[in-house]
């Protein structure tokens, strides 16, 4: 982008409009987003920032009348919050720090053999569809989209089968270690 464009009257008008939108609507938007984020200020501020970025990118579609602009911004903020929740749910669960007190000390050969045998039996007990999904994702290292394309099933089916297969394996191991 050349410097004349950034300094031109159109840019200055857009910048002034964004400043005015932010001044008029940021506090009520932040309050709204704080409620959606259960009081997590950092998360609400991030969502407010994303809302304002979307307003800047689509400034020509933001209504000029105060109340209509407010409604537009609140709709965008709600959608940004929904998108953030969906993204969090799509990501694997974050794990905390490893509890070192639960790690085995010394030679636990018997436990290792039992766990390996239990895991083998649990994998053998999975349906072919579940075993295939796990092999594609964890042995072949393919993404859910690649796996879906290779197997001719929707991405949601890949995710669902992987979830239930892993849960079955986890339950089997927990029964043994329980």
């Amino acid at each position: 982008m050349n410097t004349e464009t950034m300094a031109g009257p159109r840019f200055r008008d857009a910048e002034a409009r964004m400043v005015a939108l932010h001044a008029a609507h940021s506090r009520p938007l932040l309050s709204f987003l704080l409620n959606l984020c259960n009081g997590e200020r950092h998360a609400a501020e991030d969502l407010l920032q994303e809302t304002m970025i979307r307003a800047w990118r689509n400034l020509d579609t933001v209504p000029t009348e105060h109340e209509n602009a407010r409604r537009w911004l609140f709709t965008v903020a709600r959608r940004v919050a929904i998108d953030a929740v969906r993204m969090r749910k799509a990501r694997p669960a974050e794990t905390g720090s490893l509890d070192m007190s639960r790690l085995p000390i010394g030679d636990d050969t018997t436990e290792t053999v039992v766990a390996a045998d239990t895991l083998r039996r649990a994998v053998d007990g999975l349906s072919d569809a579940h075993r295939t999904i796990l092999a594609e994702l964890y042995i072949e290292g393919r993404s859910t989209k690649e796996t879906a394309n290779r197997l001719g099933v929707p991405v949601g089916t890949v995710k669902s089968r992987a979830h239930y297969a892993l849960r079955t394996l986890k339950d089997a191991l927990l029964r043994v270690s329980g």
Side-chain angles (χ1 to χ4, degrees), residues 53-125:
I53 289 170
R54 289 188 187 184
W56 174 254
R57 288 181 181 154
N58 299 290
L59 195 56
D60 55 333
T61 63
V62 178
T64 54
E65 199 272 324
H66 178 81
E67 198 55 41
N68 291 339
R70 180 183 177 97
R71 279 191 209 101
W72 189 94
L73 287 166
F74 272 81
T75 299
V76 170
R78 184 177 55 80
R79 289 179 181 160
V80 165
I82 290 169
D83 290 348
V85 169
R86 286 181 181 154
M87 282 178 44
R88 251 183 272 125
K89 286 183 178 180
R91 283 193 342 231
E94 295 178 12
T95 58
S97 61
L98 186 61
D99 181 8
M100 300 301 277
S101 66
R102 297 188 66 196
L103 291 177
I105 298 173
D107 186 19
D108 290 330
T109 306
T110 305
E111 288 181 29
T112 303
V113 170
V114 170
D117 184 58
T118 303
L119 184 59
R120 183 187 54 75
R121 289 174 191 250
V123 169
D124 288 345

Side-chain angles (χ1 to χ4, degrees), residues 19-32:
V19 168
L21 280 171
H22 189 272
H25 303 288
S26 64
R27 283 188 182 203
L29 279 169
L30 182 59
S31 179
F32 171 71

